[in-house]
Amino acid sequence: MNGFARMANAMLQQTVGGTLQLLSNSGTHCNVGNRSVRLLPKGFKLEVEFPKRAIYSSGKRKFNVIQPSTSQTSVVGPLLAPSSSDTLDSHMKSNEVALILIRHGESLWNEKNLFTGCVDVPLTNKGVEEAIEAGHRISNIPVDMIYTSSLIRAQMTAMLAMTQHRRKKVPIILHNEDERARAWSKIYSEDTIEQSIPVITSWKLNERMYGELQGLNKQETADKFGHEKVHEWRRSYDIPPPNGESLEMCAQRAVAYFRDNIEPQLLSGKNILISAHGNSLRSIIMYLDKLTSQEVITLELSTGIPMLYIFKEGKFIRRGSPVAPTEAGVYAYTRRLAQYRQKLDDMLT
């Protein structure tokens, strides 16, 4: 280990309890807590940020180790990390990143007015059209990673939306269930990886579980139990339906997942798309916008309508939700988003 590596290793251990290991020709390997970074031998710049956010407060520790070199390449994490040589996709990563939230398009049980919850129901034809239209609206916004629930309607929405993106990268669902799943879905072409977007699924982004209401007709349920009782089950914050989840319970898992898994990716410079559900997204918006429990129960999200946030300097800034047929003039574009769109125009014309 050279003098710089020894100094960096000592600083990592003192600051965050990490270790740094030289791997001869293969580069440098750094463990920070339970996170791993491999630094290739062309020289490197390592930047680690650790959020310490409570549910309504924010703060972060930032640690930088820099070794000058004429060029640098880094591979972060085990996923399909965007190539650092892709200047178009890395354009926004220095100061700000985009976060897009989309509630899935209309499902077959939405159409039938049934309580759906965690039942795995696909999109209707209208839902497919909504997903494609959502894709048009975000087609000029960079996307490096996609997170969806484990339910098919959210996954369909994300996949269909990305077919409309002007960058033409291919979304690929990562299968990490076991060693065989990882081995059988491995990609062996670096060029193909660079033209792919990893899609990560998690049940923690699922719709809230409606318990004994799942599969029941909403109007018939209101007639049976009373409109006031059904409204309480659907729109209160902390009262669950029979053997189901309240919005508060849904928020506990969805916000924890966002904070532990998605926010670190935003901090590392990734532009993120989340395709999920009315209640899991309301929970995340409650966290982003610092809404109270009374404010969040009045929040309504339309199917297939993307919401755009900018994450900059540890803060989430809502930039708009489109109501027009296209995103132009609806999203309040930042300068970097406008520059990204111009680069797309230059590349594709």
Side-chain angles (χ1 to χ4, degrees):
M1 184 178 292
N2 60 31
F4 169 77
R6 283 195 298 271
M7 178 183 69
N9 194 48
M11 292 176 67
L12 276 168
Q13 290 217 16
Q14 180 179 359
T15 309
V16 293
T19 61
L20 189 71
Q21 178 185 1
L22 291 179
L23 303 176
S24 64
N25 293 332
S26 63
T28 304
H29 187 270
C30 173
N31 288 312
V32 183
N34 61 355
R35 302 192 180 280
S36 178
V37 178
R38 181 165 62 88
L39 305 162
L40 302 184
K42 293 182 181 179
F44 64 89
K45 173 181 178 180
L46 169 64
E47 180 172 302
V48 184
E49 295 189 51
F50 294 87
K52 295 195 303 181
R53 292 181 67 141
I55 192 164
Y56 293 120
S57 64
S58 66
K60 57 184 179 180
R61 294 176 64 183
K62 188 171 182 178
F63 169 63
N64 293 276
V65 179
I66 300 174
Q67 176 174 320
S69 64
T70 56
S71 63
Q72 63 184 39
T73 305
S74 64
V75 178
V76 181
L79 305 181
L80 302 174
S83 169
S84 61
S85 63
D86 195 334
T87 57
L88 178 63
D89 292 330
S90 63
H91 184 73
M92 288 185 58
K93 292 182 181 177
S94 58
N95 293 316
E96 67 184 39
V97 290
L99 171 65
I100 304 166
L101 310 179
I102 304 179
R103 183 187 175 194
H104 64 82
E106 181 190 68
S107 75
L108 285 167
W109 277 15
N110 291 145
E111 182 183 52
K112 294 178 178 295
N113 200 32
L114 304 181
F115 286 103
T116 310
C118 288
V119 180
D120 208 358
V121 178
L123 300 180
T124 61
N125 287 335
K126 178 183 176 182
V128 169
E129 293 171 358
E130 288 177 331
I132 291 172
E133 181 57 36
H136 285 301
R137 290 167 170 162
I138 63 170
S139 61
N140 293 304
I141 300 174
V143 176
D144 299 317
M145 298 181 70
I146 298 171
Y147 287 85
T148 79
S149 75
S150 65
L151 301 175
I152 190 64
R153 56 191 185 271
Q155 295 176 20
M156 288 177 69
T157 299
M159 295 299 203
L160 289 167
M162 291 309 297
T163 65
Q164 307 304 307
H165 201 281
R166 296 176 69 199
R167 192 67 182 89
K168 299 302 181 184
K169 288 193 171 186
V170 178
I172 297 177
I173 295 178
L174 301 183
H175 289 283
N176 291 314
E177 302 87 39
D178 53 40
E179 189 59 38
R180 183 175 67 178
R182 286 188 289 273
W184 285 18
S185 61
K186 184 176 180 179
I187 301 171
Y188 291 89
S189 166
E190 291 298 324
D191 289 340
T192 300
I193 289 174
E194 288 183 7
Q195 294 304 313
S196 304
I197 299 176
V199 181
I200 300 169
T201 65
S202 174
W203 71 269
K204 293 182 179 180
L205 296 175
N206 282 9
E207 179 58 283
R208 73 174 171 126
M209 201 272 283
Y210 269 98
E212 295 176 14
L213 300 186
Q214 290 183 170
L216 301 185
N217 181 277
K218 294 176 182 177
Q219 183 58 52
E220 292 174 358
T221 304
D223 293 340
K224 179 179 180 179
F225 294 99
H227 289 269
E228 185 175 336
K229 173 56 70 176
V230 172
H231 181 78
E232 181 181 67
W233 287 334
R234 296 187 65 191
R235 286 295 178 258
S236 64
Y237 182 67
D238 55 0
I239 301 175
N243 293 316
E245 283 185 308
S246 65
L247 178 57
E248 181 181 33
M249 296 162 69
C250 178
Q252 287 174 349
R253 59 172 165 84
V255 172
Y257 183 83
F258 180 89
R259 199 170 54 234
D260 294 342
N261 296 275
I262 300 175
E263 198 165 351
Q265 297 293 346
L266 293 165
L267 283 165
S268 74
K270 302 291 194 303
N271 300 286
I272 304 292
L273 166 64
I274 303 175
S275 177
H277 307 265
N279 284 294
S280 55
L281 289 177
R282 287 164 73 202
S283 301
I284 291 171
I285 292 170
M286 180 182 182
Y287 173 69
L288 301 180
D289 291 350
K290 298 180 173 59
L291 303 180
T292 68
S293 59
Q294 290 302 306
E295 290 172 325
V296 73
I297 62 176
T298 64
L299 180 63
E300 295 289 344
L301 301 178
S302 300
T303 54
I305 301 296
M307 296 183 65
L308 172 65
Y309 285 81
I310 296 297
F311 182 63
K312 184 175 182 179
E313 297 177 353
K315 297 180 180 179
F316 292 96
I317 306 163
R318 189 191 292 192
R319 302 298 295 193
S321 179
V323 293
T326 65
E327 100 293 339
V330 179
Y331 289 127
Y333 266 32
T334 63
R335 183 175 182 179
R336 286 186 176 275
L337 279 176
Q339 289 172 340
Y340 178 85
R341 179 173 180 169
Q342 183 60 53
K343 283 183 175 289
L344 278 175
D345 291 342
D346 294 343
M347 182 182 72
L348 299 175
T349 56

